Amino acid sequence: MPEISLLSGPEAVRVGFYVCHCGTNIGGTVDVKALAGYAASLPRVAVSRDYKYMCSDPGQALIEQDIADHKLNRVVVASCSPLLHEATFRRALGRAGLNPFFLQMVNIREHVSWVHLDKKAATEKAQDLVRAAVRRVALHKPLQKRRVDINPSVLVVGGGIAGIHAALTLADAGKQVYLVEREPTIGGHMAMFDKTFPTLDCAACILTPKMTAVGSHPNIKLWTYSEVVKVDGYVGNYKVQVKHKPRYVIDDLCIGCQECIAACVYKEGKTPDEFNLGLSKRKPVYLPFPQAVPQKVVIDRDTCIEFKSGKCKKTCIEACGDRLAIDFKQKETFDEIEIGAIILTTGFKTFAPERNPYSGYGRYPNVYTSLEVERLINASGPTGGEVILRDGKKPASVGIIHCVGSRDANTNRWCSKVCCMYSLKLAHLIKEHTGAEVFNFYIDMRTPGKGYEEFYDRLLDEGVHFVRGRVAEVSDWAVHPSEEGKLVIRAEDTLAGFVRRIPVDMVVLSVGLEPQADAQDVRRLFNISCASEGWFLERHPKLAPVSTFTEGIYIAGACQGPKDIPDSVAQAGAAAAEALALIDAKSVELEPYTASILEEECSGCKSCISLCPYQAIAFVEEKKRAYINEVLCKGCGTCVAGCPSGSIKQNFFEDEEIFEEIEGVLAYA
Amino acid sequence: MSDRSPDKPKVAFYWCASCGGCEEAVVDLAEAILDVVAKVDIVFWPVAMDFKRKDVESMADGSITATFLNGAIRTSEQESMAQLLRSKSQLLVALGACSHLGGIPGLANLFDRASLMQEVYVQPPSTINAEGTLPQTHYQDNGYSVELPVFQETVRPLDQVVDVDYYIPGCPPTPKTFLAAVQILLGSELPVKGTVLAPDCALCDECPRKDTKPEKPVFNEFKRPQQMLVDEQKCLLAQGLLCMGPGTRSGCEALCVRGNMPCSGCYGPTSRVRDQGAKILSCLASLVESKDETEIDRVLSTIPDPVGTFYRYGLPGSLLQRKRPDGVRQAPLPSR
């Protein structure tokens, strides 16, 4: 290793060391005076100080003044995480005329004071870390940030209410928006609901105007039945490939008249209708629901006779006539788009209650999920808004079981947040539609939100029964003549202190919310993180709730965690604002932590090329060497670690710097 | 030795823990050795001429221009010879992989001294040693007392024992590498102290199969040459063989690869790498195709001897240096 020969002469390294008390956050656990004294004893440290709040204006001024007075050319600040204040202190160095990258931060708050109790040991650990930083900073090199232009277009992935709201907000601000939805229509879960809590306004009435606005907005390119398959690039300059699945109907020619549906050789639908959760049947050519946007039919190749046998009479084509909108030869197509920011609003899926055998779902036909009941109640649903059981009867008594797949150690531990409120809504609607007696089985009623508790009070007044306790079992085992032919809900009533058996005609399972089945694939595709439960991880739970750890990629709605409509819309607006703030800045500064190939030393072994997650490395045939495109490099360091001959160098993370730091930590004090 | 010219550089060769192949490489210079000999005086070369330790002891400090020492340091005698030659030489050159990085003998650092003694002197089925007699450092017989070298706990490369000026890599260094190194040392301008006297690029650079290497070789299994018919044209990594070429210094002109055998890494890492094994592991591990943990374990289990594969020549000179003897906390060894 090269000895640091910067001890004397004009190039001599002169380090200023500053330790922050952070009030008592650090000062309470680390002996900051002793730490400053220790740092003063280290080689090359010219000034060493402690100060109550280094990040304050006087704290920063202290650094600037010392740089001038003591001719400092390196600065080490021992305080909090660099995530919080590295930029602050770098700016201070810049103001004093020093390259900002001559700074090294030591995180003695998150890494020391917050995680230790023993003051002596904590101070010793802080000393080790400070020694490492003082040694490392001597090797720092001046670096320059890069500035790149930002493409002002935005991609929104997922066309539920969050995606719709984000897309409209951005489009109304004059930005080009691409909205990609994998289903044949936008609308998401909200389109399936009849009413929304707590105001009971009709979901379609408030949603469909926004859906049509998306469909006709000049600034929105709506791609339904499409999926993002590839994401390249970086903040401000993403390149995304979108796959369009063939709907076998030419978008531009289909006018949504639906004559083909009527003309289909199937007189009746034979395929379970996905939008109605299988409660009705559809034909191979179909429109998901009457208000679908776009109003373009889809042909399902798995059930269409023409695709199965090639011998269909093709009455649909006859019906379509001169419009010529049906094309059985359609292939999937791809579009490449360039955008500056991405908003993910990919939503959730509902808990599959088969995983809870006690619930009786799948075993007793009169056990429904809450989402199925939404469709039953919906006027455009399979029963035209009548709550009718599978046997055609109207239920006289209904039990709604809360927390199915929520707050349950055996399935999902989290509270799905929306179920209490939608259970109350369904209780009200069922009662309204059928006059049935309704029982709610709940663990706790969770109704925080504007007008939510009032809605709960209203339900209590409407005569809905509430039983506090977890349901043990749903069965058809009658022990009393009154239970014959009914479903019996056995539940502990923790308020009354005994176990109840309540016979009902219909059971509604208030299923919880879960991350989408392919959330992990989507997260990898967009290079963001998931929390352990599988929800997309926000950059900071309080202060950056719609940002991710990947710059320029935002999340909104239930893909980040269970959320009701108001919260999803609020987040979508927030994400749109974040995206606007980014793209309206016109350009973005990139950290200069890029990697570069040492061209003389590279052996051309190609090991690095496939390692790069950003496709920034290419093999140059003429030179038989690898080459890193600095604009594409995000400084992840993967190639640097992977280069078997050490011929890739990364700014700010050069081997010498890292080894010096390690040796500093391990050196005996 | 009587016709020693006062202005000719004086050169010494010595041999510690090694197989002797490096000395052989010197002899392999064939006619070229005559050119070397014409330019230098060989003042100490026990393998070829009759010298004794006392001959060296009698020399003035710094009187040898350059000593080429091959072999790792394992015994107390080797250590003391290394120190003696260091003090007598202006330049001390570590010759060959053992002296440079620890070499094959360095793999003994996977064991401690006691278990090595058991393995060699007590346990072999062909050994009868009921009393469990082990080599001693003192022996007294008939009024004569003999001192024998101490077999040390750890094998060390030369620079963990004494200050080293230059290194000539290889197991053994090819005659061409040796000759080029000698010419550099005889030249007017010496390279920076600590330089390894060979190209500083990895072997792929001079490999005849370079063009056949794919951009993404993927591994579902690591193969050994005896398990397959090896294609004589195609990149060996692309054939699933563990070739250390990408992580090994060039200079040998890819001799093994030309012989249809994968590079085993004897020239050591480039100057920019501290730990050759860790680097090549880091590179290869990312080329395992599966992302499933059990499958990855299966793929990696096809490497029968990972340390012997990735650290075949460099364990003592690596970051870890040796396996920690059971229950003993390793005192920090002097760093290079």
Side-chain angles (χ1 to χ4, degrees):
Chain A
M1 293 308 297
E3 273 297 302
I4 301 168
S5 55
L6 302 164
L7 281 166
S8 57
E11 288 297 304
V13 166
R14 294 176 61 79
V15 181
F17 174 77
Y18 303 87
V19 53
C20 179
H21 299 219
C22 196
T24 54
N25 271 312
I26 294 170
T29 313
V30 173
D31 185 342
V32 286
K33 296 266 178 224
L35 188 61
Y38 172 76
S41 74
L42 293 173
R44 297 184 287 279
V45 173
V47 183
S48 178
R49 299 186 196 280
D50 65 284
Y51 191 73
K52 200 103 187 152
Y53 291 105
M54 278 311 297
C55 61
S56 67
D57 284 351
Q60 296 178 51
L62 196 62
I63 298 178
E64 289 170 56
Q65 195 59 47
D66 280 350
I67 290 174
D69 294 350
H70 296 273
K71 299 192 170 44
L72 301 180
N73 50 21
R74 300 286 191 283
V75 172
V76 173
V77 181
S79 56
C80 50
S81 163
L83 204 62
L84 293 169
H85 276 306
E86 193 169 53
T88 311
F89 297 122
R90 279 186 179 162
R91 279 195 295 271
L93 264 67
R95 283 195 299 274
L98 215 56
N99 185 286
F101 293 89
F102 283 141
L103 169 81
Q104 177 69 9
M105 276 186 80
V106 189
N107 184 355
I108 58 166
R109 196 178 69 179
E110 284 86 338
H111 288 178
V112 182
S113 65
W114 280 356
V115 289
H116 297 299
L117 297 171
D118 178 343
K119 192 160 182 171
K120 184 169 171 287
T123 306
E124 278 170 15
K125 178 172 169 184
Q127 286 178 354
D128 291 344
L129 296 173
V130 166
R131 188 169 59 239
V134 167
R135 284 182 64 164
R136 176 196 221 275
V137 81
L139 296 178
H140 279 205
K141 293 184 179 148
L143 298 171
Q144 301 300 331
K145 284 198 173 191
R146 300 167 291 156
R147 198 160 257 294
V148 292
D149 291 343
I150 289 180
N151 184 315
S153 311
V154 181
L155 167 69
V156 179
V157 184
I161 181 58
I164 289 171
H165 186 74
L168 283 174
T169 307
L170 288 160
D172 286 346
K175 304 300 170 197
Q176 170 70 48
V177 180
Y178 299 92
L179 177 58
V180 175
E181 165 61 50
R182 69 170 152 201
E183 299 298 331
T185 173
I186 55 169
H189 281 100
M190 187 175 170
M192 300 166 99
F193 304 158
D194 183 45
K195 298 275 168 27
T196 57
F197 61 76
T199 47
L200 295 177
D201 40 358
C202 140
C205 308
I206 55 174
L207 176 65
T208 51
K210 293 185 79 109
M211 288 168 61
T212 4
V214 166
S216 61
H217 205 295
N219 290 341
I220 298 179
K221 182 83 205 161
L222 173 61
W223 281 325
T224 55
Y225 218 36
S226 302
E227 283 178 46
V228 174
V229 288
K230 199 171 161 206
V231 180
D232 284 341
Y234 55 98
V235 55
N237 293 276
Y238 286 107
K239 265 202 192 89
V240 167
Q241 195 179 50
V242 180
K243 178 175 90 179
H244 308 295
K245 295 176 273 191
R247 59 204 305 155
Y248 304 107
V249 168
I250 299 165
D251 268 15
D252 296 344
L253 301 180
C254 175
I255 57 163
C257 67
Q258 304 180 43
E259 284 175 25
C260 51
I261 302 179
C264 177
V265 292
Y266 282 105
K267 290 288 160 255
E268 294 294 325
K270 290 245 191 280
T271 312
D273 184 337
E274 295 85 354
F275 193 77
N276 283 331
L277 303 159
L279 294 171
S280 66
K281 300 275 166 64
R282 63 157 172 83
K283 296 181 181 180
V285 54
Y286 66 103
L287 191 68
F289 63 101
Q291 299 101 320
V293 171
Q295 281 274 312
K296 315 278 179 197
V297 300
V298 196
I299 295 173
D300 168 14
R301 69 172 295 148
D302 293 334
T303 51
C304 172
I305 291 185
E306 178 60 18
F307 280 106
K308 286 209 281 197
S309 66
K311 288 181 188 148
C312 183
K313 281 192 283 178
K314 290 180 272 202
T315 44
C316 54
I317 291 186
E318 265 169 50
C320 195
D322 294 343
R323 292 183 288 265
L324 298 169
I326 295 174
D327 175 9
F328 285 112
K329 297 210 160 52
Q330 210 172 49
K331 295 264 175 305
E332 61 182 27
T333 56
F334 294 87
D335 262 303
E336 290 261 356
I337 53 170
E338 294 185 0
I339 65 247
I342 298 173
I343 300 177
L344 298 177
T345 51
T346 52
F348 64 93
K349 73 174 164 65
T350 50
F351 175 78
E354 292 88 344
R355 284 170 61 196
N356 270 353
Y358 77 82
S359 71
Y361 187 80
R363 194 160 67 232
Y364 306 120
N366 292 342
V367 179
Y368 290 81
T369 68
S370 45
L371 204 52
E372 288 168 342
V373 176
E374 294 278 0
R375 294 310 300 151
L376 288 181
I377 293 171
N378 195 300
S380 66
T383 54
E386 294 288 312
V387 179
I388 301 170
L389 297 174
R390 285 191 171 90
D391 56 13
K393 285 189 205 145
K394 206 174 227 192
S397 53
V398 179
I400 300 178
I401 301 174
H402 291 220
C403 297
V404 177
S406 302
R407 304 182 70 196
D408 178 1
N410 296 318
T411 54
N412 299 326
R413 287 181 171 272
W414 60 84
C415 166
S416 293
K417 202 174 173 183
V418 297
C419 322
C420 281
M421 282 307 294
Y422 80 55
S423 300
L424 292 174
K425 175 190 78 180
L426 291 177
H428 170 86
L429 294 174
I430 290 170
K431 206 167 173 62
E432 186 182 81
H433 280 63
T434 62
E437 200 151 359
V438 182
F439 299 86
N440 270 266
F441 298 86
Y442 68 100
I443 309 176
D444 297 292
M445 281 307 290
R446 294 187 166 175
T447 58
K450 198 173 178 182
Y452 290 9
E453 185 68 13
E454 295 88 324
F455 188 69
Y456 176 31
D457 286 343
R458 175 179 166 181
L459 266 283
L460 289 169
D461 287 344
E462 284 178 1
V464 171
H465 306 288
F466 290 89
V467 178
R468 185 179 184 277
R470 223 179 218 304
V471 169
E473 184 188 40
V474 173
S475 78
D476 61 356
W477 180 45
V479 298
H480 187 271
S482 68
E483 295 174 355
E484 289 295 343
K486 301 219 175 219
L487 291 168
V488 179
I489 299 173
R490 209 153 59 86
E492 186 182 9
D493 185 332
T494 57
L495 297 180
F498 58 87
V499 175
R500 288 185 187 275
R501 294 175 60 86
I502 298 181
V504 292
D505 295 327
M506 178 188 199
V507 170
V508 180
L509 305 175
S510 296
V511 286
L513 274 49
E514 284 186 340
Q516 291 276 21
D518 58 353
Q520 290 292 343
D521 300 333
V522 173
R523 142 188 117 66
R524 270 186 219 106
L525 184 64
F526 289 94
N527 194 30
I528 62 166
S529 310
C530 280
S532 55
E533 305 89 4
W535 303 106
F536 292 161
L537 187 64
E538 64 282 351
R539 193 183 188 106
H540 191 283
K542 298 171 192 78
L543 302 179
V546 296
S547 303
T548 64
F549 286 97
T550 305
E551 295 283 342
I553 298 189
Y554 307 97
I555 49 177
C559 62
Q560 181 261 353
K563 241 169 239 78
D564 59 14
I565 295 167
D567 284 0
S568 295
V569 170
Q571 274 210 335
E578 295 277 359
L580 274 177
L582 172 76
I583 58 184
D584 273 356
K586 306 275 192 290
S587 65
V588 64
E589 269 195 339
L590 299 183
E591 294 292 356
Y593 303 152
T594 49
S596 54
I597 304 275
L598 304 174
E599 203 185 295
E600 288 285 301
E601 287 85 359
C602 170
S603 75
C605 76
K606 303 179 192 164
S607 304
C608 56
I609 291 170
S610 65
L611 297 182
C612 179
Y614 308 101
Q615 283 82 41
I617 313 181
F619 187 72
V620 182
E621 262 320 317
E622 307 85 72
K623 293 182 176 169
K624 305 243 181 263
R625 298 282 184 267
Y627 167 76
I628 295 176
N629 181 341
E630 199 195 18
V631 179
L632 296 179
C633 172
K634 288 193 68 171
C636 69
T638 308
C639 62
V640 185
C643 175
S645 67
S647 305
I648 307 181
K649 186 185 80 148
Q650 184 176 11
N651 288 336
F652 207 71
F653 296 98
E654 295 188 24
D655 281 1
E656 287 77 13
E657 293 168 343
I658 294 170
F659 276 122
E660 195 62 26
E661 199 172 1
I662 295 171
E663 282 171 13
V665 171
L666 300 179
Y668 291 103
Chain B
M1 273 184 285
S2 52
D3 59 339
R4 268 190 201 169
S5 150
D7 34 290
K8 268 196 191 172
K10 295 184 176 58
V11 168
F13 292 93
Y14 194 66
W15 173 354
C16 294
S18 71
C19 66
C22 293
E23 305 269 16
E24 193 60 45
V26 175
V27 177
D28 277 348
L29 286 173
E31 295 93 74
I33 200 169
L34 299 174
D35 299 336
V36 175
V37 168
K39 288 188 185 131
V40 301
D41 270 337
I42 297 175
V43 295
F44 183 58
W45 193 7
V47 78
M49 302 174 217
D50 186 19
F51 292 100
K52 295 287 184 268
R53 181 186 165 105
K54 63 177 173 7
D55 298 324
V56 183
E57 283 171 340
S58 66
M59 295 177 194
D61 277 0
S63 62
I64 304 175
T65 317
T67 292
F68 295 87
L69 191 147
N70 80 80
I73 307 299
R74 159 62 99 184
T75 68
S76 57
E77 183 208 18
Q78 290 158 353
E79 182 169 357
S80 108
M81 276 307 289
Q83 281 158 350
L84 177 66
L85 284 164
R86 173 68 271 185
S87 65
K88 302 295 177 193
S89 314
Q90 292 161 33
L91 296 179
L92 180 61
V93 182
L95 175 65
C98 299
S99 183
H100 175 203
L101 299 164
I104 299 264
L107 286 171
N109 283 0
L110 291 171
F111 309 91
D112 56 23
R113 181 184 184 278
S115 55
L116 284 171
M117 289 294 166
Q118 286 295 313
E119 177 75 22
V120 174
Y121 294 100
V122 183
Q123 284 165 358
S126 59
T127 301
I128 298 167
N129 183 1
E131 299 82 38
T133 310
L134 296 177
Q136 303 296 306
T137 53
H138 308 279
Y139 188 68
Q140 198 109 25
D141 186 46
N142 241 349
Y144 291 99
S145 151
V146 185
E147 293 289 319
L148 287 165
V150 177
F151 185 89
Q152 291 165 338
E153 188 73 39
T154 297
V155 176
R156 289 173 292 173
L158 185 58
D159 60 9
Q160 286 175 14
V161 179
V162 291
D163 198 30
V164 172
D165 296 294
Y166 299 108
Y167 304 84
I168 301 176
C171 182
T174 63
K176 200 169 166 181
T177 301
F178 180 72
L179 199 60
V182 169
Q183 269 150 4
I184 289 170
L185 294 176
L186 289 172
S188 52
E189 212 169 304
L190 284 175
V192 182
K193 186 178 166 187
T195 301
V196 177
L197 302 172
D200 203 6
C201 214
L203 187 65
C204 296
D205 187 48
E206 59 182 13
C207 177
R209 306 185 187 199
K210 182 175 175 180
D211 288 342
T212 65
K213 184 165 183 192
E215 285 198 357
K216 188 176 171 65
V218 285
F219 293 101
N220 294 308
E221 176 186 12
F222 290 101
K223 298 196 191 94
R224 307 171 76 186
Q226 72 271 25
Q227 294 170 326
M228 58 190 288
L229 271 177
V230 182
D231 185 317
E232 294 190 15
Q233 309 296 327
K234 202 168 144 197
C235 169
L236 294 161
L237 276 166
Q239 299 184 54
L241 288 160
L242 272 171
C243 179
M244 300 294 128
T248 302
R249 190 185 281 268
S250 57
C252 64
E253 297 167 283
L255 277 182
C256 298
V257 180
R258 284 174 206 276
N260 216 17
M261 285 293 283
C263 167
S264 56
C266 73
Y267 269 49
T270 65
S271 66
R272 302 168 296 284
V273 173
R274 282 202 186 185
D275 192 310
Q276 183 186 19
K279 262 297 192 189
I280 194 91
L281 260 175
S282 162
C283 168
L284 288 177
S286 45
L287 297 174
V288 172
E289 188 169 35
S290 176
K291 302 287 171 256
D292 170 71
E293 270 185 48
T294 26
E295 173 63 8
I296 291 170
D297 284 348
R298 190 198 61 76
V299 175
L300 294 184
S301 72
T302 57
I303 303 172
D305 176 13
V307 180
T309 307
F310 300 111
Y311 291 93
R312 188 170 299 171
Y313 305 95
L315 182 61
S318 70
L319 285 172
L320 293 178
Q321 300 182 349
R322 62 158 302 136
K323 183 184 171 196
R324 202 174 85 189
D326 289 338
V328 178
R329 231 191 145 79
Q330 185 81 14
L333 290 165
S335 74
R336 284 197 284 151

